[in-house]
Amino acid sequence: GGIGFWHDLPTDLHTDREVVLEAVRRETYALEFVGEELRADREFMLEVVRHDGLAFQFASEALRSDRDFALEAVVKIGWALRFATDTLRSDREVVLEAVRSYGGALRFASADLRADKDVVVEAVRQDGLAFECACLSLECLRKEIFEAARSPIAVAGSQSPVFSVDVAAEEGGELKVIVYTMSGTEWDVTLPKEARLQDLGHWLVKKYGRSRHVFLLVAGHGVASPLAFGRALADYARPPPQDL
């Protein structure tokens, strides 16, 4: 193992980057015996963290306070959030990336983010047991949050594809939806008047074909939350034109 390999090394090799890297690749916890100079070396530690996110815990305090460095770690393994600074545990993007990797990382988030419904939805998507780490004030929303977690509507800040949506009511009640992709492609679909936001989400997931979730920017309403999955699509519609 890496620790045995480390203890067998001549002391003059304890600062040799390549030798130390080999030891750490064999056993991450060999970092416990590595000098502070290497643990503060951003390039070295980035390579180690990309191999095993748990190496984050052995990084220098300065690196564990570095937002970009922390993001590298939590994307690899969400549990690394445990070793981040309080400031980073309060950083919504860092926490969202952590819970996408490991839902249970929610327990290490700040109290405010453990009470953030969208963050909790994202954690529950990865692991239903993560709800037990949420703020107690959300207990009354347990059913709604689990249903939102099963919906195709993405949480703000996710890496899901973004679509701009314009909904218009037609005579007879049907809903004409025009969708604009980030590349400028335009799609349109007509949905029944009783359609819900999640129905549009499911249509887009199938149409796009490369993601389980879609991020929606609805004209006149802004970002659609996954918690609005059951809202009537007609609520977002412009009224039909009136005859003069």
Side-chain angles (χ1 to χ4, degrees), residues 21-210:
L21 193 57
E22 178 59 28
V24 171
R25 282 174 177 158
R26 296 187 185 196
E27 174 54 70
T28 301
Y29 286 88
L31 275 170
E32 188 175 353
F33 307 103
V34 173
E36 185 63 25
E37 183 178 347
L38 275 179
R39 287 195 278 157
D41 185 314
R42 196 175 196 280
E43 183 180 345
F44 172 79
M45 288 302 298
L46 266 177
E47 188 165 353
V48 174
V49 161
R50 286 167 180 163
H51 174 70
D52 183 352
L54 286 178
F56 181 75
Q57 66 187 290
F58 298 109
S60 66
E61 184 176 352
L63 284 179
R64 286 186 288 108
S65 302
D66 183 308
R67 187 174 186 272
D68 291 338
F69 183 76
L71 279 167
E72 291 272 2
V74 299
V75 165
K76 186 72 177 179
I77 182 167
W79 185 270
L81 185 65
R82 174 183 179 183
F83 306 104
T85 61
D86 289 345
T87 298
L88 292 176
R89 292 188 195 194
S90 300
D91 185 305
R92 196 171 189 273
E93 183 182 354
V94 172
V95 170
L96 277 171
E97 291 295 347
V99 299
R100 285 187 192 110
S101 172
Y102 168 56
L106 184 64
R107 75 188 67 183
F108 307 122
S110 67
D112 283 350
L113 290 179
R114 285 187 285 111
D116 183 312
K117 294 190 285 290
D118 281 355
V119 171
V120 175
V121 166
E122 198 73 355
V124 168
R125 276 180 172 157
Q126 202 284 324
D127 182 357
L129 293 176
F131 187 80
E132 306 310 319
C133 306
C135 181
L136 287 175
S137 65
L138 298 183
E139 180 60 38
C140 61
L141 296 175
R142 176 185 287 263
K143 181 180 178 182
E144 182 181 353
I145 284 173
F146 273 83
E147 289 179 343
R150 291 190 290 270
S151 84
I153 311 302
V155 170
S158 73
Q159 300 301 310
S160 301
V162 178
F163 298 97
S164 296
V165 176
D166 188 9
V167 184
E170 297 190 315
E171 290 185 20
E174 288 188 324
L175 302 168
K176 183 174 182 180
V177 184
I178 300 176
V179 179
Y180 303 93
T181 70
M182 292 301 291
S183 63
T185 303
E186 182 179 318
W187 299 330
D188 64 82
V189 60
T190 299
L191 295 173
K193 60 183 178 182
E194 62 271 14
R196 304 285 172 178
L197 185 66
Q198 66 178 351
D199 296 323
L200 174 59
H202 285 302
W203 182 85
L204 279 169
V205 165
K206 184 176 181 180
K207 176 76 174 176
Y208 183 68
R210 298 195 298 275

